[in-house]
Amino acid sequence: MKASVRMRAVLVSTASAGLIAACAAQPSDDDARSRAEQIFRESFTHGNQAMLARVERQDEVQALCSLYRNEPPREIAAKIERTQAATIRFPAQGKLMGDWRRGEQIAQSGYGMRFTDPDTKRPNGGNCYNCHRIAPQEISFGTIGPSLYGFGKLRGSGEAVQRYVYAKIYDPQASVACSNMPRFGHNAVLTEEQISHLVALLLDPDSPVNR
């Protein structure tokens, strides 16, 4: 009996030592974070370096949204919206609506928004269907953002609405702090001309969105 008790004690002691050794072998939080960041950077070896730079070096708005986990206090949210509204650049020629057909192509294209896309001169897409329902013929779309089907039919296509839609695409944080929507114009993901084509997609009466 005594031998059995001693044997169990030895087994427990051995198991405990093994467990302690295993725990000691686990990387620290700092080591794990460093390794994760290394893997993240390596995944961009052939990807869009501008996107990587924005992730590694957050601007003030990104840092605030990260700090407050996208739910900043009211005064911080107001500051974000105010400062971002001041950065919106409307087309110099004043034309806010382009060609809805080109807008549809931009909405369908996800090029440039994925970490595997090479950093070339090929135009970026908006990847709009990733978050929104837009034209009715597209049956694959995301639901992170609201449905935009019938947007222009409901809101019209006057200048005020054009400016609102353009600004929303250019920098959505000008109206909703820490919005999930990318700052397409602010971060030069899309050009002013491309944004005007997306405005047309949503507002032009001839666009499939409004038919």
Side-chain angles (χ1 to χ4, degrees), residues 39-87:
I39 293 172
F40 178 78
R41 286 192 297 272
E42 289 173 352
S43 70
F44 274 87
T45 301
H46 301 292
N48 189 318
Q49 296 302 301
M51 183 180 293
L52 173 60
R54 288 199 300 274
V55 173
E56 291 195 315
R57 295 184 293 277
Q58 292 188 329
D59 63 18
E60 181 183 7
V61 170
Q62 289 174 303
L64 285 171
C65 292
S66 295
L67 176 64
Y68 293 106
R69 296 183 180 274
N70 292 334
E71 295 183 359
R74 183 177 300 177
E75 64 275 13
I76 300 297
K79 175 186 176 182
I80 291 173
E81 292 168 5
R82 182 173 61 254
T83 57
Q84 294 305 284
T87 69

Side-chain angles (χ1 to χ4, degrees), residues 114-136:
R114 300 164 299 198
F115 73 88
T116 54
D117 291 330
D119 191 10
T120 68
K121 294 183 179 180
R122 176 179 170 182
N124 291 332
N127 203 22
C128 305
Y129 281 101
N130 194 52
C131 298
H132 300 281
R133 180 191 184 204
I134 307 178

Side-chain angles (χ1 to χ4, degrees), residues 99-120:
D99 184 342
W100 69 260
R101 296 170 185 81
R102 295 182 64 183
E104 173 66 7
Q105 294 173 353
I106 296 167
Q108 289 280 359
S109 173
Y111 189 83
M113 298 293 287
R114 300 164 299 198
F115 73 88
T116 54
D117 291 330
D119 191 10
T120 68

Side-chain angles (χ1 to χ4, degrees), residues 85 87-96 159-160 162-168 170 192:
T87 69
I88 295 174
R89 295 198 307 269
F90 292 95
Q93 72 276 18
K95 185 178 181 181
L96 296 171
E159 183 178 354
Q162 291 179 32
R163 289 181 65 84
Y164 167 78
V165 174
Y166 185 97
K168 186 72 173 180
Y170 190 99
E192 293 178 5

Side-chain angles (χ1 to χ4, degrees), residues 20 22 30 71 111 122-123 125-126 133 137 139 173 177 182 201 206 208:
I20 292 172
D30 288 342
E71 295 183 359
Y111 189 83
R122 176 179 170 182
R133 180 191 184 204
Q137 68 269 22
I139 61 174
Q173 298 213 43
L201 175 64
D206 293 330

